[in-house]
Amino acid sequence: MSTSARKVKQTKRPIAKRPAGLPGESRSAAALLLPSLAGLGVFFLAPFIDTVRRSFYDTRGQSFIGAQGYASVVNNDAFQLAAANTAKFVAVCIPILLALSLALALLVRAIRPKGKLFKTSYLLPMAVPVASMVLLWQILFHQNGLVNAGLVAAGAKPVDFMGSGAAFWVLVGTYVWKNAGYNMILWLAGLDGISGSLYEAAKVDGAGAWQCFRFITMPSLLPTLGLMAILSLLNSFKVFREAYLVAGPYPHGSIYLLQHLFNNWFQNLDISRLCAAAVMLAVVLTGVILLMQRFLKNNDD
Amino acid sequence: MKKTIASIFSFAICLALLFAACGSAGSAPGESGGAMISGGNSIPGQPTAGMAGKYVQQDVTPGGLAAENVSIGLRGLPDGRMLAVVATHGEKPKALASADGAAWEEVYPIGEPLVAENPDSALRYVIDDEGAWWVVVTGEAGNKLYRVQDGAQEEIPFTAAGKITRLQYGGDNTILLTAVANDSAQWYVVDCAVRSVSAPFSPVSQGFTFTDYADGIVYSALYGEPTIATYAAPGGQPKDSYSVPVDAQLFNAMAGQIQGGNTLHYADNTGIHKAALGGTYVETLVSGQSYAFADPNFTPWQLAFAQDGSYWLAGWYGRDTPKVYRYVFDESAPLMAAESLSIWSLADSQSLRHAVSAFSQANPETDVSVHIGRSADSGAQTDDDIIRQLNTELVSGTGPDVLILDGLPIQSLIRQGMLSDLSGLVDESQYYGGILGAYAQDGKTWAYPTCFAVNLMMQTPGAGGTDIESIQTLEDMRPLLTDAASVEFGGYIHLFETMYTAASSQIFPKDTEVNEDALRAFLSLTKDAVDAQGIAGTEYDGTFGGVTDSDEAVGGLEIYATPPSLGYFVNDTLSVADHAAATIHRYMDVMFSLYKPGAGRTVIAPLPGGVFMPKIIAAVPAGAANAEGGRAFVKAMLEGQTQEALRNVGLDGFAMRRGVDAELFLESIADFPEDSSAVLPTEEDCAYLEGILGQFVTPASVNLGLREKVYEQAKRLYSGEIGVDEAANAILQSTRLYFAEQH
C-alpha cells in the first residue's frame, strides 16, 4: 500500500466512526464550561431576568405597572444628575487613565531592568484597602487637611474639597491613582506581544521613534486597548465605594453617581425604579461595549 | 477512554465545587448581622426543626411567698430533692424540700427563736450537710454566727470586719461568708464539721460582682471585666484567672453557678446558658420568650441544678414577688410551637422586651423570635447596612411578621406598599387619637406608635415672665431661649434636640420636601440661643446632662429635656441620631413637678406645633407569613396589659392608651402618708395632663438621615465656622438629592 493510500484510509476511518453529537474535545470543553455557565446563569442571568421583570412591577412584585418605572426614572432629577455625573466621570477618567498608564508602561519598558521597581510601586495602590484610602483621602482633602495646610502656607485660600466641585477631581485622581498600575501591567503585556522584528524592519526602513510608535505600537495595541477600555469602564463603577465611605449616601452633587442613587433607592425600597434604572444602565453599557468592539474590529480589519 | 473518564471526573469536581459554592452562598435570615432572641430551645450543633422535646417551665414557687422581703436560697440535695431556704424579714425561716416542685415539705425546722431575739437585725441563713442551720445575725453590735440544730443554739466565736452580706454553701460541709466593709471585701470559710471559721482572705481586686464557692475554690468575677479569678479556700491563695465569654456587665444581672470546676452556668434575661471557663463559646440551654426570665421585670437571683437534670431558678418579679421556676426537659413537648412569630427591630429596648414577654406568656402556642438589627453580632455594620439586609428580606418575601419601625424609612415603606393596613385593629377612642393616627394616610392606618415622647414647657403660676400658654410659634420662644436665667441648656446638642423635634415637621413636612423658611428660622433661633447661653463650645455636658434648670425666681420655666435614657442594654450605641429624639421623661416625673411649695398647680404647655415623637412604632409588613399573628402582637402592644407593663419601665415616654399612666400613678401614691407636707396630685391633675397630651397632633420627623444632615451643619453654625445662610444652603444642597430621589 502506498503512503498516500494509507493516509486516505487513516483520514477516512474517524469520519466514518464519529458518533453523533459533540466531538470528544468539545464535550470536555462543555463539561468544563458548564459550572461557570451555571454560575453565570444562576447568579447573574437569572437575577437580571428577575430585575427586568421587577422593573415592570411594583415594589412587592405583585402589581403590573408597565413602563411607569422607566418613565419615572427618566424624569427623575436625581437620576439625570447621577447619570450625567457618571457619564462625565467615565468620559474624563478613562482617557486619562489609559493615556497615563500607557505612558507609565512605555517608561517602565524604556528603563528596564530598573523598571521593576517602578512597576511594583505603581501596583501598590491596588493593595491599599478602601478604608485606608478613605482615611488618606480625609487626611489630605479635609478642610483642615494636609493639602489645605499646604495651600494656606503658600498664601492661597483653602479649598472645600468635599463640599464643592473640587470633589469630582479628587475622585478622578483617586480612581486614576488606584488603577494606573493595573492598566500599566496590561499595557506591558500588550507591548511584549509585539514582535521586535517589526521595529527592526521599520528602523531599517528609516522610521523614527514616533513613527514606530504611531505605525507599529499603536495599531498592535488596539486589541489590548479594547480590553482595557472595557475593564476600565467596569472598574470605574467601583469608585463608588470611596465616594460613599467619604461622603455618605448624599455627597456633594458633583460626585453623586448612579450607584449612590441605586443604593438610596434600595434603602428606600424603591425597587421598581431601581430595577428600571439598572436595566437601562445595562442596555447602555452593553451598547457601549458593542460599539467599542465594532470600532476595534473595524480598525483591526 | 482515559480522556472520557478524566472529563467526567473533572466535571464531577466542578459540579461539587459549584454546589459547595451555592450552599455556602446563602445564609438564613438572621445568621449574619443582628442578634436573635430565640423563641425555642437552641442547642448548637443539634438539629432543631422536627426534633421533639424541649425544656418546659414550671412555676414551683412555694405557697405563701407573695410577701415583701422574702429571700430564697436554692441547693440540690444528695437525695435528688431541691432545698429552698426561705427567709422573710421578721419571721422564722423555713427550709423546704421538693423532688419536682409539685409539693414542698418542710425540713430541718429551725426551732430556736433567733428572729424574735434579734428583731432589728439582718439575719442570713444556710444549711449544712448535717441539716444544721448556720445563721449570721448582723446588727449594731456586729456579726454573730450561730449553729442551730434540733433546738440547740450554739454561738461560734467569730469576728468579722464589716457586715456579712452573703452565706454560700460550698460542698464538703463548708460555707463561705462574705463580709464587706468600706467597699472592701473579705471572705471566711466555715468548716461546719469542726465548727471553726478560717482566717479572712481577700480578692485580688476589691471590685467584684459574681461570686461562687464550690469544692474548696472561690470563684469571683472582677468588676467590669469578663474574667473570673479563683482562690483556694480556706487559705485564700490566688489560683487561676479565666476569661469567660460573658459580657462583664452581665455579671450584675445574672444568677450563676460553677459546675465541675470548669463550667459557668448562668441565667439572665435571655435564658439559661453555659460557658467553659477560659472558653469562647456560650451554649444556650434554655431560651424562650414565654419563659419568666425573658420578662425584663424578672430579676434572676439564684440558679441551681437538680440531679434529674432540671434547672431551678429563683428570682423576683418587680421588687416584691418572689418566684421559683423549674425547667425540666420534656421529651414529648414539641420543639416548635404550632405558630411562629418573628419580630424585627433596629434597636433593642426594654419596652419591646416587655411587650414580647407579655405576648409570649399570653400566647404560649406561639414561638416568638425577636431579631435586633443593631447588636453585638452586627459588628461594624452601619444602620444603612442593617436596613439594606432587612430590605432584602422584605423584597424576597422572607421578612418578619412584625416590624418595629423606629429608625426605618417609614414614609418610604408606606409609599412602596410594604406595610399592611391595620385600620380598625383597636378602638381608637381609647387612645390619644392625634398620636395613634400618626401613620394614617388615605383612610388607612399603616402603623401604630405604642408610646410617645413629648417636649413640655412647665411654668410656676404667678412667677412672672413670658406666659408659656401664649407661645404660639417657635419664634415666640426666642426671649426664653436667649435668657439663660429662664431656661438653661447643658450643651448645644440638647438645645438642638429639643428644638429640632419641635421644628422638624415644619422643616421637612411629611419627609417629602424641605421648607427653606422654616429651616432658616430654626437655625437662626437656635444659633442665637446657643450664643446667648454661651454654650457654643459645649456639645454635651456630661456632668449635668441636658437637664434644663428652671429659675423660679425669674421665669419659673422648665423645658423638660432630660436626655433619653438608653437603658442598660449593653449593645445600645450612642450616635447623634439615637440620642436625638423627643424628651423622654416619665409620667410620674411630670406629676410630681405639678406642685411646688407655696405655689399653685404648675402650668404645662406643649412646645409650639404640638409635635410629638412616636416611639416603638409597630407595623405588619405586607405579605408577612403570619400576618394574623403580627396583627395580634401589635394589638397586644396597644392593649392594657402590655401598656401597663410598658409603664413599669417608662423609658420610652407616655403610654398610648389613655388613663393607663394615670391609673398606675394614682395607685402608686395611694399609700403615701396623708400628713405629707407635699401636695399630691389628684385625679383632676391627671385629667389636666391628659388634656395637654391630647393637644399633640403632629408627629416629628423621625428620618434620622435628615436629622444628621441638619445637625452636621448646625454644629458648624453654632461653633461660628459658618453663618446661617451657609448652613442653610449646605443643608438644602445635601437634602436636595434626597428629595429629588423621592419624586
Side-chain angles (χ1 to χ4, degrees):
Chain A
M1 192 182 289
S2 70
T3 309
S4 58
R6 199 182 304 134
K7 271 184 184 169
V8 169
K9 200 173 181 181
Q10 279 176 345
T11 314
K12 278 183 177 174
R13 263 176 61 194
I15 294 169
K17 291 197 171 183
R18 181 180 290 167
L22 293 169
E25 278 189 14
S26 300
R27 278 203 302 274
S28 298
L32 289 167
L33 276 174
L34 191 60
S36 177
L37 289 174
L40 187 73
V42 170
F43 297 113
F44 291 95
L45 289 180
F48 183 70
I49 291 166
D50 189 50
T51 303
V52 175
R53 185 190 69 83
R54 281 183 181 273
S55 69
F56 294 104
Y57 283 81
D58 68 352
T59 293
R60 292 184 55 216
Q62 293 190 337
S63 303
F64 184 73
I65 58 166
Q68 272 181 38
Y70 289 89
S72 174
V73 166
V74 171
N75 294 320
N76 185 272
D77 290 344
F79 177 78
Q80 289 168 7
L81 175 67
N85 281 345
T86 307
K88 182 181 164 191
F89 183 77
V90 168
V92 170
C93 272
I94 294 180
I96 293 177
L97 178 66
L98 293 178
L100 182 68
S101 56
L102 177 59
L104 289 174
L106 292 171
L107 183 68
V108 165
R109 219 170 130 85
I111 59 172
R112 271 180 177 170
K114 290 177 184 172
K116 269 188 181 177
L117 178 67
F118 288 101
K119 207 192 292 184
T120 310
S121 66
Y122 292 133
L123 278 174
L124 273 180
M126 290 190 68
V128 178
V130 175
S132 307
M133 195 178 285
V134 166
L135 192 66
L136 180 68
W137 193 350
Q138 283 175 335
I139 291 169
L140 288 173
F141 298 109
H142 187 267
Q143 280 207 311
N144 302 317
L146 288 177
V147 176
N148 269 338
L151 287 173
V152 171
K157 279 188 176 177
V159 178
D160 183 3
F161 285 104
M162 300 318 299
S164 67
F168 177 79
W169 295 105
V170 173
L171 197 64
V172 168
T174 306
Y175 171 77
V176 171
W177 173 67
K178 177 146 188 171
N179 290 285
Y182 175 65
N183 279 22
M184 178 192 73
I185 296 294
L186 294 180
W187 281 127
L188 283 173
L191 289 170
D192 286 344
I194 304 171
S195 170
S197 58
L198 291 175
Y199 291 104
E200 282 173 24
K203 280 175 184 167
V204 168
D205 290 343
W210 168 247
Q211 286 166 316
C212 284
F213 178 76
R214 168 75 180 79
F215 296 107
I216 299 173
T217 308
M218 279 305 290
S220 305
L221 285 177
L222 274 179
T224 310
L225 174 66
L227 172 73
M228 286 174 58
I230 292 168
L231 287 176
S232 301
L233 178 66
L234 298 177
N235 270 338
S236 67
F237 284 83
K238 291 181 187 167
V239 80
F240 164 72
R241 285 180 306 183
E242 285 86 343
Y244 183 83
L245 285 173
V246 167
Y250 297 100
H252 183 265
S254 63
I255 55 170
Y256 179 74
L257 304 173
L258 277 172
Q259 294 91 327
H260 284 100
L261 179 64
F262 288 3
N263 176 71
N264 296 339
W265 271 346
F266 186 68
Q267 194 81 5
N268 288 313
L269 276 168
D270 208 340
I271 303 298
S272 306
R273 287 202 288 185
L274 170 61
C275 290
V279 171
M280 287 163 66
L281 179 65
V283 169
V284 170
L285 275 180
T286 308
V288 169
I289 290 170
L290 288 175
L291 274 176
M292 283 168 69
Q293 283 182 337
R294 193 182 179 89
F295 170 75
L296 292 169
K297 190 168 180 294
N298 286 343
N299 272 333
D300 209 25
D301 290 343
Chain B
M1 182 65 184
K2 271 185 181 174
K3 206 172 180 180
T4 310
I5 292 171
S7 301
I8 293 169
F9 186 65
S10 62
F11 178 60
I13 288 174
C14 290
L15 267 186
L17 286 172
L18 176 68
F19 286 131
C22 292
S24 62
S27 64
E31 273 183 3
S32 60
M36 205 69 179
I37 302 172
S38 169
N41 295 309
S42 168
I43 304 173
Q46 293 187 8
T48 51
M51 182 185 149
K54 68 172 181 179
Y55 280 92
V56 293
Q57 175 181 281
Q58 298 169 346
D59 185 346
V60 294
T61 311
L65 288 191
E68 290 186 8
N69 300 324
V70 171
S71 70
I72 305 171
L74 296 174
R75 187 175 111 212
L77 291 174
D79 63 4
R81 292 185 300 169
M82 183 60 62
L83 176 69
V85 175
V86 179
T88 306
H89 187 69
E91 291 179 17
K92 200 166 67 173
K94 283 181 191 171
L96 305 168
S98 175
D100 57 7
W104 291 91
E105 173 196 356
E106 186 164 353
V107 293
Y108 315 130
I110 189 164
E112 275 300 311
L114 264 177
V115 175
E117 289 171 7
N118 301 280
D120 299 323
S121 302
L123 279 75
R124 299 175 196 284
Y125 312 89
V126 73
I127 294 175
D128 69 14
D129 289 348
E130 297 159 13
W133 287 76
W134 288 79
V135 186
V136 168
V137 179
T138 306
E140 286 185 2
N143 305 291
K144 286 185 177 179
L145 178 64
Y146 297 93
R147 180 182 185 278
V148 185
Q149 189 172 32
D150 300 329
Q153 177 179 313
E154 176 189 354
E155 184 175 348
I156 308 297
F158 164 66
T159 306
K163 288 186 175 179
I164 301 291
T165 57
R166 200 164 187 196
L167 278 74
Q168 287 170 276
Y169 174 80
D172 295 333
N173 215 13
T174 57
I175 295 165
L176 181 77
L177 307 183
T178 304
V180 175
N182 300 326
D183 292 333
S184 65
Q186 284 194 320
W187 288 315
Y188 303 84
V189 174
V190 180
D191 185 333
C192 301
V194 298
R195 301 177 193 181
S196 67
V197 183
S198 74
F201 59 99
S202 301
V204 172
S205 164
Q206 278 304 327
F208 65 93
T209 49
F210 164 84
T211 306
D212 196 20
Y213 173 51
D215 303 323
I217 296 174
V218 177
Y219 300 85
S220 176
L222 304 180
Y223 184 78
E225 290 181 36
T227 306
I228 288 181
T230 61
Y231 307 86
Q237 302 87 347
K239 282 171 65 75
D240 301 308
S241 182
Y242 302 98
S243 63
V244 280
V246 175
D247 193 291
Q249 294 186 41
L250 192 59
F251 282 123
N252 294 322
M254 71 175 213
Q257 198 174 100
I258 304 290
Q259 254 207 341
N262 56 12
T263 311
L264 168 69
H265 281 73
Y266 66 94
D268 60 15
N269 278 129
T270 65
I272 297 173
H273 320 273
K274 76 172 179 181
L277 297 183
T280 57
Y281 182 67
V282 174
E283 181 178 346
T284 297
L285 304 164
V286 187
S287 71
Q289 294 297 328
S290 61
Y291 295 161
F293 48 67
D295 190 331
N297 270 338
F298 184 79
T299 306
W301 168 244
Q302 192 173 12
L303 179 69
F305 316 100
Q307 287 181 9
D308 63 359
S310 59
Y311 297 93
W312 297 59
L313 181 64
W316 280 275
Y317 268 106
R319 290 184 175 181
D320 54 8
T321 310
K323 284 281 186 186
V324 180
Y325 292 103
R326 178 174 181 245
Y327 297 91
V328 61
F329 195 79
D330 180 356
E331 288 182 357
S332 63
L335 184 62
M336 296 172 78
E339 271 193 30
S340 66
L341 185 76
S342 59
I343 298 162
W344 193 98
S345 175
L346 182 63
D348 201 351
S349 78
Q350 287 276 43
S351 301
L352 179 61
R353 286 182 180 237
H354 267 287
V356 170
S357 175
F359 181 82
S360 297
Q361 290 183 49
N363 299 274
E365 74 287 355
T366 303
D367 272 342
V368 182
S369 60
V370 184
H371 184 96
I372 303 297
R374 222 187 266 164
S375 69
D377 296 343
S378 58
Q381 282 187 308
T382 63
D383 282 358
D384 284 353
D385 296 333
I386 294 166
I387 293 171
R388 268 194 293 275
Q389 197 175 324
L390 169 71
N391 286 352
T392 309
E393 292 173 17
L394 289 172
V395 172
S396 62
T398 57
D401 301 312
V402 176
L403 258 183
I404 303 301
L405 299 176
D406 301 47
L408 299 184
I410 301 177
Q411 295 301 336
S412 292
L413 287 164
I414 294 173
R415 217 168 27 243
Q416 301 302 333
M418 296 306 289
L419 304 178
S420 295
D421 180 14
L422 297 176
S423 305
L425 191 65
V426 291
D427 175 5
E428 298 192 0
S429 66
Q430 303 288 313
Y431 300 85
Y432 294 103
I435 299 170
L436 191 74
Y439 299 104
Q441 291 173 15
D442 306 325
K444 293 178 176 174
T445 304
W446 302 110
Y448 282 120
T450 55
C451 42
F452 62 96
V454 293
N455 285 317
L456 295 172
M457 292 186 285
M458 304 181 78
Q459 189 172 37
T460 309
T466 308
D467 173 12
I468 60 169
E469 288 182 312
S470 68
I471 292 175
Q472 299 297 317
T473 65
L474 290 175
E475 192 56 32
D476 291 346
M477 292 184 70
R478 185 179 288 272
L480 297 172
L481 294 174
T482 52
D483 178 10
S486 289
V487 56
E488 182 185 348
F489 289 89
Y492 62 72
I493 191 169
H494 303 297
L495 173 71
F496 176 86
E497 284 169 4
T498 306
M499 300 311 294
Y500 178 81
T501 303
S504 61
S505 64
Q506 291 172 35
I507 299 172
F508 301 117
K510 292 199 168 183
D511 288 352
T512 54
E513 58 184 313
V514 57
N515 179 333
E516 198 174 330
D517 292 339
L519 174 65
R520 286 180 193 280
F522 166 77
L523 291 172
S524 166
L525 175 64
T526 52
K527 167 67 176 164
D528 290 349
V530 165
D531 288 346
Q533 302 221 7
I535 51 173
T538 312
E539 182 176 20
Y540 174 74
D541 184 339
T543 311
F544 298 106
V547 178
T548 56
D549 300 324
S550 63
D551 186 334
E552 289 167 32
V554 179
L557 176 75
E558 286 183 21
I559 296 175
Y560 265 75
T562 309
S565 167
L566 293 172
Y568 53 76
F569 290 106
V570 293
N571 297 322
D572 273 357
T573 55
L574 179 65
S575 69
V576 171
D578 288 330
H579 198 270
T583 303
I584 297 194
H585 47 266
R586 299 176 193 220
Y587 184 91
M588 206 169 274
D589 299 335
V590 179
M591 293 309 289
F592 280 130
S593 301
L594 275 184
Y595 291 100
K596 294 192 172 169
R601 185 169 69 192
T602 299
V603 178
I604 303 177
L607 253 66
V611 176
F612 64 90
M613 178 65 75
K615 293 275 176 182
I616 318 292
I617 309 156
V620 175
N626 185 4
E628 276 311 303
R631 289 171 64 86
F633 180 79
V634 176
K635 189 176 179 184
M637 286 190 84
L638 289 162
E639 285 186 336
Q641 195 186 346
T642 311
Q643 288 278 298
E644 283 170 21
L646 296 180
R647 290 311 81 226
N648 287 330
V649 189
L651 292 174
D652 289 303
F654 296 95
M656 180 59 67
R657 194 179 173 95
R658 284 177 185 271
V660 170
D661 278 321
E663 194 179 327
L664 287 176
F665 173 73
L666 292 172
E667 266 177 33
S668 70
I669 62 168
D671 296 334
F672 275 36
E674 285 182 7
D675 60 348
S676 166
S677 57
V679 179
L680 290 177
T682 62
E683 207 167 324
E684 189 195 335
D685 296 318
C686 293
Y688 170 63
L689 180 56
E690 191 170 307
I692 300 292
L693 296 178
Q695 295 175 27
F696 288 90
V697 290
T698 311
S701 167
V702 291
N703 189 311
L704 301 182
L706 292 177
R707 179 188 287 272
E708 292 276 10
K709 290 285 177 201
V710 177
Y711 186 66
E712 200 176 294
Q713 299 306 324
K715 268 177 83 169
R716 298 177 67 197
L717 170 69
Y718 300 155
S719 67
E721 190 183 326
I722 54 174
V724 170
D725 284 341
E726 209 176 335
N729 289 337
I731 294 166
L732 289 171
Q733 146 78 25
S734 59
T735 54
R736 189 176 297 132
L737 286 171
Y738 173 80
F739 291 116
E741 285 172 357
Q742 314 299 315
H743 292 125

